[in-house]
Amino acid sequence: MSGRILSHRLGPLLRTRLLARQLHNAGARTGGLLRADGSAVLRGRSWPLGANAIHNNVPAVRTISFARILPRLALKLARVPAMFGGAMIAGLAYIQYQAAQAGNYAIDFFKRTGDMAGEAASSLFGELQGIVEQTQQGWQNTTEDVELPEWLQKIFRLNEESSRSGGGGGGSSGGGGSPQESRAGMAAVGAATGAAYGYDQSDEDDLRASRERAEDDQMMLLTRKMIEIRNILQTVGQSNTLTLPSIVVIGSQSSGKSSVLEAIVGHEFLPKGSNMVTRRPIELTLVNTPNAQAEYGEFPALGLGKITDFSQIQRTLTDLNLAVPEKDCVSDDPIQLTIYSPNVPDLSLIDLPGYIQVAGRDQPPELKQKISDLCDKYIQSPNVILAISAADVDLANSTALRASRRVDPRGERTIGVVTKMDLVDAERGRSILADKKYPLRLGYVGVVCRVPQTTALFSRGSGNITSAILKNEHAFFSAHPTEFGPHSEVEVGVTTLRKKLMHVLEQTMASSLAGTRDAISQELEEATYEFKVQYNDRPLSAESYLAESLDGFKHSFKAFAEGFGRPQVRDMLKNELDQRVLDILAQRYWNKPVEDLLVPMPEPDPLSDLAKADPESLYWRRKLDASASALTKLGIGRLATTVVATALQNHVDQLVAGSTFAAHPYAQKQILDATNRILNDRFFSTSDQVENCIKPYKFEIELEEPEWAKARENAGRVLRDELRACESALKRVEETVGKRKLKDVMSFIDHVRKGEIVLEGDGSAGAGGFSSALLERGREGVFLRDRSEIIKMRLLAIRSKQCASKKNQMYCPEIFLDAVADKLTATAVLFLNVELLSEFYYNFPRELDGRLGRHLSDAEVERFAREDPRVRKHLDVIRKKELLELALQKIEGIRQLDPRANASNHTLGAGASGRAQEKRSRWNLF
């Protein structure tokens, strides 16, 4: 019974011994567990403890309590890549702990059992001691075989020293020690395990990491502010001196230029194709948005808004590039693209068409030179050159490096990027990056920007491919630690390239700020002087200009409305009806029944018999009634409404032509649309109302003596006007043909009409020695002469005593029809004033406010104001002045970010980073 109990108690210890052997054998098969730098070794290849272990040494840690490690265990475990090495160390530590615990239990058990199991306990105790000694010996062998870090060796030495100093005689024989010592050992094991997993860092390392992060954040802030200044100066666009440097990306076709930019951005967004696709410079601005989740792009010049689908950005760039005519192939008109993302640094990049060696069959022969000239335009100082070369191409044949050496022979502002590093062996790749034959002050960076095909398909359009690129790149470089490790003195990786670009761009921009500030100050002085001299310091904005223009137009419209009322409408409508009366008189009384004046005339005109006609004659009475009916059933409602609406529209057009809106097509269209909408809405209802109100006059018309007298006077005036019009027209015909010749032609026509001359045919080919054109002029002259004679006769009739009374209205159709027209006009004006004029005057200003006032967006207001060249120039001067003042203000704000101003807030110590010192010296230019 006691044997089974003892076996049950010692079972875990035996299993622990078996586990120790298995772990030891596993460690032997893997070729070692840990190296001195803290990274695990698996099958001869390093497994780094951090994502950037290829570039950075693993930081040292200090001994901490196991209680401090436990709360952080769950958070750190998921993201530490050294899990395997830490797990093995923890397993070995667990063996030692179980051995010590088992030893303590065995000693207590022997003391309690005493004589009962003395002999068996003694033998088992000896076996137990052997197990513990073997376990400790295996642990020592393991720690000797494994190159433990210095911090871990210190932990075990402290544990051994504490065990020796606190050990007693009774406990030492069993290898167990007191419970306090066991807990101390467990704490040490926990600290070792936590250190292996990277759970904690020392205060010094925390301070160092915090300081580096603060410097990176400060560098990003400075870069962002300087990019903002650069964008402001680009908006001003008045002088080449008002520029800040950008990073210009050059390289031959198929060198991996697009892949490098897409690796920095994290998305495939650049145009791709079998032929030359990039034909215009792409000014790419990257803006880091740390608190945002979404990534999107914007084309500032196109106004397309936020585009979250990067495949759409790619299609837009492709369309903009392919829009360049094939005869030109390339254009220097840049495409501006801004990408906002929490995964990008603040950078300003310019992507250019790739160099070509030989122009294709469908490309112009001068294309090669055009691309070279375009690139030379952008790689001038102070821009930073990012020269892209493929690793499988000798640097001596790199077109990008040759171009950069022409403008930057000392290599002071050129960064060499070697792509496709995985296509050459590691030794050759390292020699390329460490090249001394083509030295660059900013050095070379090797990258592998190839994206796994599965990742590219999965991430196309929306997913970020940065992690996939970094993982693929890291797998390649970590496989060659000797050539590309932290001690290889070469720079590799997209992450390294990002940091270098940020650092170089910030340094270059900062060195240009002093000269840029002086140039801005000079430009600002000139803009201020121009603003004072040409515009007398008069402030102006698009909103104020629109408001002033709208107020001035409404004031003019109000003056027009006050001067255009019922009297004006009545005169206008009466004049229109007077012309209709003349048409009816000519049709029913004056004109000859045969239109062709070369045909012999019929019986004499009966109008000459009107004065002697019988008062009971049905012929003349019916002719008068038919004439009055033709006037009343003319459609007075539609006619009157059309006349007034046309008059209103013409007056509004005149107001627009005399206002500031004359130079604004958009405003003219809006005013015209507002006028048409109101008039169309009121047209049918007004015409119906007018037509209904004049309906009684269609059946019976009664006139008073005063109305007859008034009509008599007005009819005489109308006939005199018509007579003057006829005489003027006849005089113009005489001036055209000649008075004598016209007289001969008219005489010939009169003889034909009287039958004295007989024509063969209709005279269309000419007759009597006169051409057909001359005969046509003669007909016109005869018509005007006859009309004048008839009007003169009718004027004499109106002045006669016979037409003095309304009782003789049959003899005087001109007076009667004029009286009817006057009644129709007076009745129609009442409803036109209420139904059309009043409504138009009330609604038109409000319609203008809706179309040209509060409902316009800022962009529409700005576009409206800039339609006038004079206003556009005024606004440009003001905007230039404001932008230059803003740029100066931002430059002064950058001075506040000088690290010296914040030196009191940081304990930099003697080991301050070289980058911070360089930053401080760089900002001394202020």
Side-chain angles (χ1 to χ4, degrees):
M1 180 66 181
S2 61
R4 286 196 302 271
I5 295 175
L6 188 58
S7 177
H8 177 72
R9 297 291 187 180
L10 297 181
L13 183 59
L14 298 178
R15 288 194 296 271
T16 302
R17 179 181 180 185
L18 180 59
L19 177 61
R21 290 180 178 178
Q22 292 176 351
L23 291 176
H24 181 71
N25 294 335
R29 287 194 301 271
T30 59
L33 296 177
L34 293 174
R35 296 189 310 188
D37 60 352
S39 61
V41 179
L42 181 61
R43 298 184 184 274
R45 295 176 58 182
S46 62
W47 191 326
L49 294 177
N52 298 322
I54 189 170
H55 310 300
N56 306 311
N57 291 328
V58 179
V61 300
R62 61 183 176 83
T63 304
I64 58 174
S65 65
F66 188 67
R68 182 181 176 186
I69 295 175
L70 284 177
R72 303 170 57 186
L73 179 58
L75 295 176
K76 295 288 185 177
L77 192 58
R79 57 190 178 129
V80 177
M83 182 180 293
F84 180 75
M88 296 186 68
I89 296 175
L92 296 176
Y94 181 76
I95 293 173
Q96 185 184 22
Y97 172 72
Q98 289 291 345
Q101 289 293 93
N104 293 336
Y105 180 81
I107 293 172
D108 294 336
F109 180 79
F110 289 142
K111 288 182 180 180
R112 289 195 303 269
T113 54
D115 297 336
M116 181 175 174
E119 184 177 356
S122 299
S123 61
L124 288 174
F125 178 76
E127 184 179 358
L128 175 62
Q129 185 176 6
I131 293 173
V132 172
E133 290 175 355
Q134 292 179 8
T135 302
Q136 293 178 346
Q137 183 64 31
W139 170 255
Q140 293 174 359
N141 294 336
T142 302
T143 55
E144 290 175 358
D145 294 338
V146 177
E147 297 180 3
L148 296 178
E150 183 179 359
W151 54 267
L152 193 57
Q153 295 177 7
K154 289 181 180 180
I155 290 174
F156 288 120
R157 285 199 298 269
L158 290 174
N159 188 27
E160 292 173 358
E161 291 173 1
S162 62
S163 299
R164 288 195 299 266
S165 62
S172 61
S173 60
S178 64
Q180 288 80 3
E181 292 172 342
S182 298
R183 287 193 294 269
M186 188 62 189
V189 172
T193 307
Y197 278 89
Y199 291 153
D200 191 28
Q201 292 180 338
S202 66
D203 293 337
E204 268 185 44
D205 295 329
D206 290 341
L207 180 60
R208 186 181 303 111
S210 300
R211 186 166 60 246
E212 291 179 355
R213 283 194 300 269
E215 293 173 0
D216 289 340
D217 292 342
Q218 186 183 44
M219 183 174 67
M220 291 183 66
L221 180 60
L222 293 173
T223 305
R224 176 177 298 181
K225 287 185 173 295
M226 287 185 287
I227 289 177
E228 291 177 358
I229 296 174
R230 184 186 66 86
N231 293 335
I232 292 174
L233 298 180
Q234 280 183 342
T235 304
V236 174
Q238 297 292 329
S239 174
N240 292 330
T241 59
L242 298 182
T243 57
L244 281 173
S246 300
I247 299 174
V248 181
V249 185
I250 60 173
S252 59
Q253 291 186 2
S254 304
S255 62
K257 182 164 56 71
S258 298
S259 299
V260 172
L261 290 176
E262 290 177 343
I264 294 174
V265 175
H267 289 277
E268 296 184 14
F269 69 99
L270 291 174
K272 295 180 176 64
S274 58
N275 201 350
M276 179 179 172
V277 181
T278 303
R279 303 180 181 181
R280 297 171 57 184
I282 301 176
E283 296 182 355
L284 178 63
T285 302
L286 305 182
V287 180
N288 180 266
T289 54
N291 298 324
Q293 298 296 329
E295 300 175 288
Y296 61 91
E298 288 183 347
F299 291 91
L302 302 181
L304 300 178
K306 298 180 180 179
I307 304 176
T308 57
D309 186 0
F310 280 79
S311 62
Q312 182 178 349
I313 295 177
Q314 188 178 48
R315 289 192 298 270
T316 304
L317 288 175
T318 302
D319 294 340
L320 292 174
N321 278 280
L322 295 181
V324 178
E326 293 185 0
K327 61 182 181 66
D328 298 333
C329 276
V330 293
S331 171
D332 58 355
D333 183 20
I335 302 172
Q336 295 180 351
L337 172 62
T338 305
I339 293 179
Y340 301 85
S341 170
N343 305 315
V344 299
D346 289 299
L347 289 176
S348 175
L349 304 162
I350 300 177
D351 183 27
L352 296 174
Y355 292 102
I356 61 173
Q357 301 300 326
V358 180
R361 179 178 301 177
D362 56 343
Q363 296 173 337
E366 66 273 10
L367 177 60
K368 178 180 178 181
Q369 187 61 39
K370 281 187 175 182
I371 295 176
S372 179
D373 294 341
L374 178 61
C375 293
D376 288 347
K377 174 184 176 181
Y378 278 91
I379 60 178
Q380 300 298 324
S381 179
N383 285 341
V384 178
I385 305 172
L386 195 65
I388 309 294
S389 306
D392 55 350
V393 177
D394 191 0
L395 291 182
N397 299 324
S398 173
T399 310
L401 286 178
R402 287 202 304 268
S404 67
R405 288 174 71 87
R406 289 200 306 268
V407 297
D408 183 27
R410 300 175 60 183
E412 295 180 345
R413 54 186 181 88
T414 302
I415 302 175
V417 178
V418 182
T419 61
K420 306 177 183 180
M421 292 289 294
D422 54 342
L423 297 184
V424 297
D425 59 82
E427 285 292 339
R428 173 173 169 75
R430 185 184 182 281
S431 64
I432 293 175
L433 298 180
D435 187 81
K436 303 300 182 183
K437 189 175 181 180
Y438 304 98
L440 298 176
R441 179 180 178 183
L442 301 178
Y444 291 86
V445 180
V447 295
V448 179
C449 298
R450 181 172 55 87
V451 185
Q453 188 65 24
T454 55
T455 304
L457 293 175
F458 175 77
S459 303
R460 191 176 301 278
S462 58
N464 196 293
I465 60 175
T466 302
S467 59
I469 293 176
L470 294 181
K471 183 177 180 181
N472 182 53
E473 186 180 53
H474 176 69
F476 171 75
F477 289 127
S478 63
H480 306 88
T482 304
E483 292 81 4
F484 305 119
H487 302 292
S488 61
E489 298 182 353
V490 295
E491 295 180 303
V492 294
V494 174
T495 303
T496 303
L497 178 60
R498 280 187 172 190
K499 292 182 178 179
K500 179 180 283 292
L501 292 179
M502 293 170 57
H503 181 69
V504 171
L505 181 61
E506 183 225 4
Q507 183 180 14
T508 309
M509 282 185 169
S511 63
S512 304
L513 277 183
T516 304
R517 182 180 60 179
D518 295 339
I520 292 175
S521 300
Q522 183 177 357
E523 291 278 343
L524 181 59
E525 291 178 0
E526 294 179 0
T528 303
Y529 179 77
E530 181 181 3
F531 181 58
K532 181 178 183 60
V533 172
Q534 294 191 10
Y535 304 103
N536 197 24
D537 289 336
R538 183 172 68 89
L540 180 68
S541 65
E543 294 79 6
S544 63
Y545 174 71
L546 174 60
E548 292 175 1
S549 301
L550 191 58
D551 289 343
F553 182 79
K554 288 194 293 185
H555 180 75
S556 300
F557 178 78
K558 182 180 179 182
F560 155 72
E562 292 175 351
F564 189 80
R566 290 174 58 182
Q568 290 75 24
V569 172
R570 188 185 186 285
D571 293 341
M572 185 186 308
L573 184 57
K574 184 61 171 59
N575 291 334
E576 182 67 26
L577 291 180
D578 287 343
Q579 296 302 316
R580 299 304 175 100
V581 168
L582 290 177
D583 293 340
I584 294 174
L585 289 172
Q587 180 183 0
R588 295 185 178 273
Y589 290 91
W590 300 346
N591 290 349
K592 301 297 182 182
V594 180
E595 295 182 359
D596 193 348
L597 298 181
L598 292 178
V599 177
M601 293 178 56
E603 59 183 19
D605 188 358
L607 186 60
S608 59
D609 299 335
L610 178 59
K612 299 176 282 185
D614 185 4
E616 303 298 331
S617 174
L618 293 178
Y619 173 78
W620 295 107
R621 288 187 178 277
R622 287 177 179 175
K623 186 180 285 279
L624 183 62
D625 292 340
S627 300
S629 178
L631 181 60
T632 57
K633 296 180 180 180
L634 186 65
I636 300 299
R638 182 177 294 272
L639 174 65
T641 307
T642 302
V643 169
V644 177
T646 303
L648 289 173
Q649 196 164 10
N650 292 336
H651 280 293
V652 170
D653 292 341
Q654 293 175 6
L655 292 177
V656 171
S659 68
T660 55
F661 290 140
H664 300 282
Y666 175 79
Q668 293 181 19
K669 182 179 182 302
Q670 293 300 319
I671 294 173
L672 178 62
D673 291 345
T675 305
N676 291 335
R677 193 196 71 79
I678 299 174
L679 294 178
N680 290 336
D681 289 346
R682 305 301 306 173
F683 184 85
F684 294 103
S685 61
T686 303
S687 62
D688 290 343
Q689 289 288 345
V690 173
E691 199 67 36
N692 291 332
C693 74
I694 66 168
K695 188 175 292 184
Y697 300 115
K698 296 179 180 180
F699 303 96
E700 183 179 2
I701 300 175
E702 295 183 359
L703 297 177
E704 302 293 335
E705 288 296 338
E707 294 175 340
W708 182 266
K710 180 180 178 183
R712 183 185 181 191
E713 180 181 355
N714 188 69
R717 180 185 60 80
V718 172
L719 289 178
R720 286 191 296 271
D721 293 341
E722 184 69 13
L723 178 60
R724 283 193 294 269
C726 290
E727 291 174 348
S728 298
L730 181 59
K731 187 174 182 180
R732 286 194 296 270
V733 174
E734 289 178 353
E735 293 174 353
T736 303
V737 178
K739 187 174 182 180
R740 184 177 182 81
K741 186 177 292 187
L742 180 62
K743 183 178 180 181
D744 293 340
V745 174
M746 292 174 61
S747 176
F748 173 76
I749 293 174
D750 288 338
H751 288 302
V752 173
R753 291 176 64 190
K754 294 177 181 178
E756 297 175 358
I757 298 177
V758 180
L759 295 178
E760 295 180 1
D762 56 359
S764 58
F770 302 103
S771 65
S772 59
L774 194 56
L775 288 174
E776 183 65 29
R777 289 294 185 180
R779 292 189 189 99
E780 185 178 354
V782 170
F783 171 79
L784 293 173
R785 183 198 63 189
D786 293 346
R787 172 66 66 88
S788 299
E789 292 176 355
I790 292 173
I791 293 176
K792 290 176 181 178
M793 179 183 65
R794 296 312 303 167
L795 280 173
L796 292 175
I798 290 174
R799 296 193 190 105
S800 67
K801 293 182 179 180
Q802 191 177 25
C803 292
S805 175
K806 67 173 184 175
K807 295 184 295 184
N808 298 326
Q809 58 188 13
M810 178 187 67
Y811 301 103
C812 308
E814 297 85 0
I815 300 176
F816 180 75
L817 292 177
D818 186 272
V820 175
D822 190 70
K823 279 183 171 292
L824 295 176
T825 301
T827 306
V829 167
L830 294 176
F831 291 90
L832 288 172
N833 184 67
V834 175
E835 296 292 335
L836 188 60
L837 279 184
S838 298
E839 290 293 329
F840 183 78
Y841 292 157
Y842 177 80
N843 291 320
F844 185 70
R846 290 160 178 79
E847 189 75 15
L848 289 183
D849 288 337
R851 292 174 178 266
L852 297 176
R854 55 185 177 275
H855 295 298
L856 287 182
S857 63
D858 294 340
E860 291 172 335
V861 173
E862 186 74 19
R863 183 172 63 249
F864 161 80
R866 291 185 170 277
E867 289 176 343
D868 189 339
R870 296 174 300 176
V871 177
R872 180 171 64 249
K873 185 177 180 182
H874 192 173
L875 292 175
D876 287 341
V877 171
I878 294 177
R879 188 161 184 260
K880 177 182 178 181
K881 180 174 174 291
E882 293 176 348
L883 289 176
L884 292 175
E885 290 174 349
L886 178 61
L888 277 181
Q889 181 182 358
K890 286 185 174 293
I891 289 180
E892 294 299 326
I894 289 180
R895 296 181 60 187
Q896 304 301 324
L897 298 175
D898 188 346
R900 293 176 302 172
N902 300 324
S904 59
N905 299 329
H906 300 283
T907 307
L908 298 179
S913 66
R915 182 172 58 181
Q917 294 176 356
E918 183 182 0
K919 190 188 300 292
R920 287 197 299 271
S921 63
R922 182 167 63 252
W923 289 104
N924 284 335
L925 57 94
F926 292 108

